[in-house]
Amino acid sequence: MTATPSRTFPGIRLRRVRHDDFSRRMTRESTLTVDDLILPVFVQGEDNRRDAIASMPGVERLCVDQLMEEAGELFAPGIPVIALFPVIDAEHKSEFAEEAYNASGLSTRAIRALKAAWPTLGLMTDIAPDPWSGRHP
Protein backbone atom coordinates (compact mmCIF):
# COMPACT_ATOMS: atom_id res chain seq x y z
CA MET A 1 0.00 0.00 0.00
CA THR A 2 1.42 3.42 -0.95
CA ALA A 3 1.04 6.42 1.24
CA THR A 4 -0.86 9.36 -0.16
CA PRO A 5 1.10 12.56 -0.01
CA SER A 6 0.10 15.10 2.54
CA ARG A 7 -1.71 18.18 1.16
CA THR A 8 0.72 20.40 3.10
CA PHE A 9 4.39 21.15 2.67
CA PRO A 10 6.66 19.15 2.30
CA GLY A 11 4.24 16.56 0.96
CA ILE A 12 3.15 18.95 -1.74
CA ARG A 13 5.08 21.90 -3.10
CA LEU A 14 2.87 24.82 -3.99
CA ARG A 15 3.89 26.50 -7.21
CA ARG A 16 1.61 29.51 -7.22
CA VAL A 17 4.42 31.80 -8.32
CA ARG A 18 5.30 29.56 -11.25
CA HIS A 19 1.78 28.82 -12.47
CA ASP A 20 1.36 31.74 -14.89
CA ASP A 21 3.85 33.02 -17.44
CA PHE A 22 3.75 36.61 -16.14
CA SER A 23 4.64 35.53 -12.61
CA ARG A 24 7.46 33.30 -13.81
CA ARG A 25 8.92 36.23 -15.78
CA MET A 26 8.58 38.57 -12.79
CA THR A 27 10.23 36.25 -10.30
CA ARG A 28 12.99 34.61 -12.27
CA GLU A 29 16.42 35.32 -10.91
CA SER A 30 17.98 37.19 -13.77
CA THR A 31 17.84 38.05 -17.41
CA LEU A 32 20.66 39.13 -19.67
CA THR A 33 20.10 41.40 -22.63
CA VAL A 34 22.30 43.47 -24.91
CA ASP A 35 21.53 46.40 -22.56
CA ASP A 36 23.68 44.71 -19.91
CA LEU A 37 26.81 44.42 -22.05
CA ILE A 38 30.01 46.43 -21.86
CA LEU A 39 32.52 45.77 -24.61
CA PRO A 40 36.20 46.06 -23.64
CA VAL A 41 38.32 47.51 -26.44
CA PHE A 42 42.10 47.98 -26.44
CA VAL A 43 43.43 50.95 -28.40
CA GLN A 44 46.96 51.99 -29.35
CA GLY A 45 48.46 55.14 -30.75
CA GLU A 46 50.21 53.79 -33.82
CA ASP A 47 48.28 54.26 -37.07
CA ASN A 48 47.27 51.38 -39.34
CA ARG A 49 48.27 48.75 -36.85
CA ARG A 50 46.49 45.80 -35.20
CA ASP A 51 48.40 43.84 -32.62
CA ALA A 52 47.21 40.55 -31.20
CA ILE A 53 47.18 40.30 -27.42
CA ALA A 54 48.90 36.99 -26.70
CA SER A 55 47.18 36.44 -23.35
CA MET A 56 43.70 37.00 -24.89
CA PRO A 57 43.29 34.95 -28.08
CA GLY A 58 41.14 36.69 -30.66
CA VAL A 59 41.56 40.12 -29.04
CA GLU A 60 43.64 42.85 -30.66
CA ARG A 61 44.90 46.33 -29.86
CA LEU A 62 43.51 48.68 -32.50
CA CYS A 63 44.51 52.10 -33.75
CA VAL A 64 41.81 54.80 -33.51
CA ASP A 65 40.73 54.38 -37.17
CA GLN A 66 40.28 50.63 -36.76
CA LEU A 67 38.51 51.22 -33.46
CA MET A 68 35.98 53.36 -35.32
CA GLU A 69 35.30 50.53 -37.80
CA GLU A 70 34.89 47.98 -34.99
CA ALA A 71 32.71 50.29 -32.91
CA GLY A 72 30.35 50.83 -35.82
CA GLU A 73 29.80 47.09 -36.16
CA LEU A 74 29.31 46.66 -32.42
CA PHE A 75 27.16 49.71 -31.75
CA ALA A 76 24.63 48.69 -34.42
CA PRO A 77 23.20 45.69 -32.47
CA GLY A 78 22.75 47.92 -29.44
CA ILE A 79 25.78 47.41 -27.17
CA PRO A 80 25.40 50.52 -25.01
CA VAL A 81 28.91 50.93 -23.54
CA ILE A 82 32.50 50.51 -24.68
CA ALA A 83 35.26 50.28 -22.08
CA LEU A 84 38.44 51.74 -23.57
CA PHE A 85 41.81 50.45 -22.46
CA PRO A 86 44.43 52.55 -24.25
CA VAL A 87 48.08 51.56 -24.35
CA ILE A 88 49.93 54.60 -23.03
CA ASP A 89 53.62 54.67 -23.93
CA ALA A 90 56.00 54.90 -20.98
CA GLU A 91 57.29 58.33 -22.05
CA HIS A 92 53.75 59.75 -21.67
CA LYS A 93 53.28 58.46 -18.14
CA SER A 94 54.02 60.83 -15.29
CA GLU A 95 53.62 61.23 -11.57
CA PHE A 96 50.73 63.66 -12.10
CA ALA A 97 49.11 61.67 -14.94
CA GLU A 98 49.10 64.60 -17.36
CA GLU A 99 48.23 62.30 -20.25
CA ALA A 100 44.75 61.89 -18.74
CA TYR A 101 43.87 65.45 -19.74
CA ASN A 102 46.12 65.88 -22.77
CA ALA A 103 43.82 67.20 -25.53
CA SER A 104 45.80 65.38 -28.21
CA GLY A 105 46.44 62.23 -26.19
CA LEU A 106 45.37 58.77 -27.28
CA SER A 107 42.44 58.44 -24.87
CA THR A 108 41.11 61.89 -25.66
CA ARG A 109 41.38 61.33 -29.42
CA ALA A 110 39.60 57.98 -29.20
CA ILE A 111 36.82 59.38 -27.00
CA ARG A 112 36.36 62.43 -29.22
CA ALA A 113 36.12 60.28 -32.39
CA LEU A 114 33.68 57.80 -30.83
CA LYS A 115 31.40 60.50 -29.42
CA ALA A 116 31.38 62.40 -32.73
CA ALA A 117 30.19 59.28 -34.55
CA TRP A 118 27.86 57.89 -31.85
CA PRO A 119 26.85 60.59 -29.34
CA THR A 120 24.69 58.22 -27.28
CA LEU A 121 27.38 55.54 -26.94
CA GLY A 122 28.47 55.16 -23.33
CA LEU A 123 32.21 55.23 -22.74
CA MET A 124 34.28 54.06 -19.81
CA THR A 125 38.04 54.24 -19.75
CA ASP A 126 40.96 53.24 -17.59
CA ILE A 127 43.91 55.08 -19.03
CA ALA A 128 46.42 54.44 -16.23
CA PRO A 129 48.77 57.30 -17.17
CA ASP A 130 50.84 57.13 -13.99
CA PRO A 131 54.37 55.70 -14.06
CA TRP A 132 53.43 52.76 -11.80
CA SER A 133 50.78 51.27 -14.10
CA GLY A 134 51.78 48.35 -16.20
CA ARG A 135 54.85 47.48 -14.17
CA HIS A 136 55.28 43.87 -13.34
CA PRO A 137 57.57 42.72 -10.54
Side-chain angles (χ1 to χ4, degrees):
M1 177 172 186
T2 59
T4 52
S6 164
R7 297 291 301 155
T8 60
F9 184 82
I12 188 168
R13 289 187 56 212
L14 302 176
R15 291 178 172 84
R16 293 183 304 250
V17 174
R18 293 184 270 162
H19 182 266
D20 296 307
D21 178 60
F22 79 88
S23 59
R24 286 191 304 274
R25 286 186 291 131
M26 285 176 48
T27 59
R28 67 179 160 217
E29 287 190 27
S30 59
T31 58
L32 182 63
T33 69
V34 71
D35 294 332
D36 301 310
L37 301 178
I38 298 173
L39 177 70
V41 178
F42 301 86
V43 64
Q44 63 184 358
E46 296 185 44
D47 291 335
N48 300 318
R49 199 162 162 194
R50 286 178 99 97
D51 293 331
I53 301 175
S55 60
M56 294 186 276
V59 178
E60 298 174 310
R61 288 182 190 96
L62 309 171
C63 67
V64 174
D65 292 339
Q66 293 165 344
L67 168 65
M68 296 302 292
E69 291 175 22
E70 295 272 331
E73 294 172 16
L74 298 165
F75 189 57
I79 293 176
V81 180
I82 290 179
L84 286 177
F85 294 94
V87 178
I88 304 296
D89 294 327
E91 66 266 12
H92 296 296
K93 294 185 177 194
S94 67
E95 185 176 351
F96 298 106
E98 286 95 346
E99 189 65 12
Y101 46 90
N102 177 357
S104 60
L106 176 59
S107 298
T108 312
R109 284 185 292 129
I111 291 168
R112 192 179 304 119
L114 288 164
K115 284 306 226 179
W118 301 281
T120 60
L121 177 64
L123 294 175
M124 297 169 43
T125 187
D126 180 4
I127 58 174
D130 57 81
W132 305 280
S133 298
R135 290 190 182 171
H136 302 286

